[in-house]
Each structure stands twice: as structure tokens, then as C-alpha cells.
Amino acid sequence: MHPKSTFRPDISHGATEILVQCTDVAHTYGLGSTAVVAVNAVTCSVIGRARLALMGPSGSGKSTLLHMMAGLEIPTSGALTWPSFGGNPAGMPEQVGVVFQGPSLIPSLDSLGNVAFPLVLQGLSDMDAERRGNQALEELGLGWMAKKLPDELSGGQAQRVAIARVLATGPRLILADEPTGQLDRETGQHVIDVLLHAADRLDAALVISTHDPEVADRLSERWLMNDGTLREAELTDQKGNRP
Ligand code: ADP
């Protein structure tokens, strides 16, 4: 086995645009005897229109790697660049959209308010932000949730609103951190449908971290994480078979 992960763009995607490049990236939480090496010497790249499952058991470093790819966590060593974005995309929801693992909606805003909020931060007027927010909710079949507050939504419904929030800002890279981790199988499948639809509609790359092989089977490429190391890549077709 190779001592460190090295994955290069898969030209079968028909695109060579590199969105994220990680070179020997590592992240350690804490110092000294309490230090935890969450990600260890990972080299990989995510290209435009990728459909990628980041697999591995709980604690293997998937969230930390995704957060670094989003620019939300800084590597403790190695180099992380975003060649197509012109710099760290944190705070640029038109470049990278993140669907977080747990609840991420603002509790005091209804679904429409949550979806429109980043658009207002981007400089849209309240009216334009609401219009685009409504479009995103409608497109994902969630129009009826517009006036619902987060605590009136189930976990699966809240995840779909969070995906509508990503769709509304139109990023080129969607990073979803265990988006089905707390959902039953059927609801989880629906959330993955919605994510794939959003990525297709935006022509965006999609990276989903998951420990669920059924989720991974919906994506064309798999990366496997173990103890902070990206140790193996397995290309699969849509049914999870090797091409
Ligand atoms: P995964 O997403 O695969 O479950 P994580 O990236 O969340 O993995 O965690 C990788 C390792 O880093 C685990 O051992 C976890 O306990 C540790 N870790 C994650 N976040 C923190 C933190 N904020 N402080 C200390 N350790 C952390």
C-alpha cells in the first residue's frame, strides 16, 4: 500500500478543471500528549463535475478533510489550494456550498429566510433573495415548507432545506458531510436524490462523506479514509460496479 494517498483527476469526467488541490495535507487537533492527528499527509484533487463518495468509519477524518476543502479548517501542514476559485472559498457561497452533518438552519428564520439569508449577504435585495430562495425551494419540491421554522421540520426536511440553501447560491463545488447520517434509509435516499439533482442542475462537483455503501453506490467515484489517511480509490459505475 502506498504510504500516502495520491489521487489524480479522473479524465473520464470529461473535465480537467481542478477545484481543490490537497498536497500532503494534515490536520492535528490539540498539542502534545493530547494531540489527535485527524488527517495525515493526504494528497488528492477534486475536479469539476466530480461525483465523489468520501467513505470511512466514524473518526477516520472525513469531516476534517471536507472542512479543510471548504476552507473552514486550516491544515496544520501541507498545501491546500483552490486553483479555480482564486483563493480560500470560505465565505464565498457562490464557489463552495457546504451541507453540514447536524442541524445548520438558523432557528429563528423560516425555511425561506434560511435559504435567502446567504443571498442577502451576497448583496441581493431582500426581494430578489426571496425570489431566488423560493425558486430553489420549489425546484426541490419544498415550496410548501417556505414558512416553516426549523423546529417544525423533520431531520430529512431540514437537510433538504439546507440543500436548497446551497442550490440558491449556485456553487461549483458542493461538500456534504454525512448528510444522511441521522436519517432513515428512505429519507436518506431522498436527500441523496435532491443533492444529485442540485449538483446536476448547477453542473457542480459533489463530494459526499458517508459510511453507508448504499449512498456511495449513487456516486461514480469512491475514496476511502482510514485513520486520517486516504488509502485507496475505487472507481465504480452508478450501480457501484467497477467499470
Ligand atoms: P469523521 O468525520 O470521519 O467521523 P472527524 O474528522 O470528525 O472524522 O474526526 C477525526 C478525528 O479527529 C477523531 O479522532 C475525532 O475525535 C478528532 N476530532 C475531530 N474534531 C475535533 C476537535 N474539534 N477537537 C479535537 N479532536 C477532534
Side-chain angles (χ1 to χ4, degrees), residues 57-117:
S58 182
S60 58
K62 304 183 297 298
S63 295
T64 304
L65 182 59
L66 278 194
H67 289 173
M68 286 196 287
M69 286 180 171
L72 299 173
E73 218 38 284
I74 305 299
T76 42
S77 64
L80 213 152
T81 59
W82 296 268
S84 303
F85 299 154
N88 185 327
M92 291 198 271
E94 71 283 6
Q95 304 287 25
V96 177
V98 182
V99 179
F100 292 95
Q101 192 167 354
S104 66
L105 301 179
I106 300 168
S108 57
L109 296 178
D110 63 19
S111 299
L112 178 58
N114 267 284
V115 176
F117 187 62

Side-chain angles (χ1 to χ4, degrees), residues 13-15 17-20 46-53 84-85 92-99 139 163 166-176 192 194-208 218-221:
H13 288 289
E17 169 195 44
I18 295 178
L19 304 181
V20 185
V46 179
I47 63 166
R49 301 180 193 85
R51 295 285 179 271
L52 217 162
S84 303
F85 299 154
M92 291 198 271
E94 71 283 6
Q95 304 287 25
V96 177
V98 182
V99 179
E139 188 171 336
I163 296 166
V166 165
L167 178 66
T169 59
R172 295 156 70 196
L173 172 62
I174 301 172
L175 301 169
I192 299 301
V194 168
L195 266 171
L196 286 167
H197 172 84
D200 287 348
R201 157 83 168 63
L202 297 171
D203 220 11
L206 174 63
V207 182
I208 301 179
R218 307 284 307 277
L219 301 157
S220 55
E221 194 174 348

